[in-house]
Amino acid sequence: MALFELQNLTKTYGTEGIGTEVLHGITFSIERGEFVSIMGPSGSGKSTLLHILGFLDDYTSGEYRFGGKRPNDYTEDEQAQIRNNEMGFVFQAFNLLPKQSVYDNIQLPLSYSGVPEKFWKEKIERAIEQVGLTHRAEYETYKLSGGERQRVAIARALVNDPNVIFADEPTGNLDSVSGGAVMEVFQELHQNLKHTIVLITHERFTAEYAKRIIRIKDGLIEQDEVLAGDRIRRPSEFHK
Ligand code: ADP
């Protein structure tokens, strides 16, 4: 069973009839362990789609199943639990607490998760290691570079061992070299740790770190393409 299954999904903002339909019938599946980019120009409906996938917003018609179940099969509390325990979110703006340490920022989702406290330290340290920030664990996050902050946000998304990591324009606030380093972290999580990653971007360069690109335009899928070969990009490519 696919982790995500969408069938002819639509989204209308406002009241149906007098509202604006922004997704016009989206159909795709994403399997566990895939690394997929959803790419399209600004206003094409990417964030709307991500919010629906992440149980942050309702859809209007069609079908959406996450792990075989519809969002409406769950109560709001259960949806919140799934968001916290099975989904990790990384946003363009990092959304960290600036005066708190790297360690404390990453601890935050654990405190809502029901994971017994005795396991926290090990989980936090592992997440910090996975993004290569062990030497910065005690730094307050306002002292870090943009690329380092985004890696903290990735560690925070990872700490509950989610089934999927959603990243919404994660390199949007970064220069190309730090952006490349952040994308390499996603690539490693996918290749070595078999994480499922759904990335939203308007940039082709960023999208191509994934193994599959779903292009959307004006609320419709334009192309769904599996990339050939094992492309591994390194920051050195940015300097060419
Ligand atoms: P993208 O992420 O690709 O830039 P969005 O999903 O943010 O696209 O937006 C798609 C369309 O939906 C845009 O025309 C946008 O103005 C509209 N839209 C987004 N959010 C809302 C909202 N809460 N209410 C009404 N319209 C919205």
Side-chain angles (χ1 to χ4, degrees), residues 130-131 151 154 180-190:
Q130 283 168 353
V131 300
R151 286 192 278 152
I154 296 171
V182 161
M183 291 313 300
E184 278 186 40
V185 171
F186 285 117
Q187 212 162 41
E188 268 179 42
L189 292 173
H190 164 67

Side-chain angles (χ1 to χ4, degrees), residues 47-64:
S47 301
T48 300
L49 185 57
L50 185 94
H51 288 155
I52 293 169
L53 294 178
F55 292 4
L56 295 163
D57 201 357
D58 296 325
Y59 51 98
T60 306
S61 71
E63 282 276 345
Y64 169 37

Side-chain angles (χ1 to χ4, degrees), residues 66-85:
F66 174 72
K69 288 192 158 187
R70 297 185 190 93
N72 284 343
D73 293 337
Y74 301 104
T75 64
E76 290 215 350
D77 279 355
E78 286 168 340
Q79 287 191 13
Q81 243 170 26
I82 290 172
R83 260 199 311 275
N84 193 50
N85 295 335

Side-chain angles (χ1 to χ4, degrees), residues 122-160:
E122 186 194 331
K123 281 176 173 288
I124 296 165
E125 286 176 353
R126 192 177 60 217
I128 293 180
E129 195 189 325
Q130 283 168 353
V131 300
L133 285 179
T134 303
H135 60 300
R136 296 276 187 263
E138 297 308 324
Y139 274 54
E140 291 158 314
T141 59
Y142 79 89
K143 293 180 180 161
L144 301 177
S145 71
E148 287 171 332
R149 283 181 211 181
Q150 195 58 299
R151 286 192 278 152
V152 177
I154 296 171
R156 183 185 54 189
L158 278 173
V159 75
N160 274 330

Side-chain angles (χ1 to χ4, degrees), residues 92-106:
Q92 176 171 353
F94 319 135
N95 301 347
L96 301 174
L97 300 171
K99 289 298 200 69
Q100 306 259 333
S101 68
V102 167
Y103 190 99
D104 289 345
N105 269 276
I106 297 171

Side-chain angles (χ1 to χ4, degrees), residues 13 22 41-48:
Y13 283 114
V22 299
S42 178
S44 55
K46 304 182 297 295
S47 301
T48 300

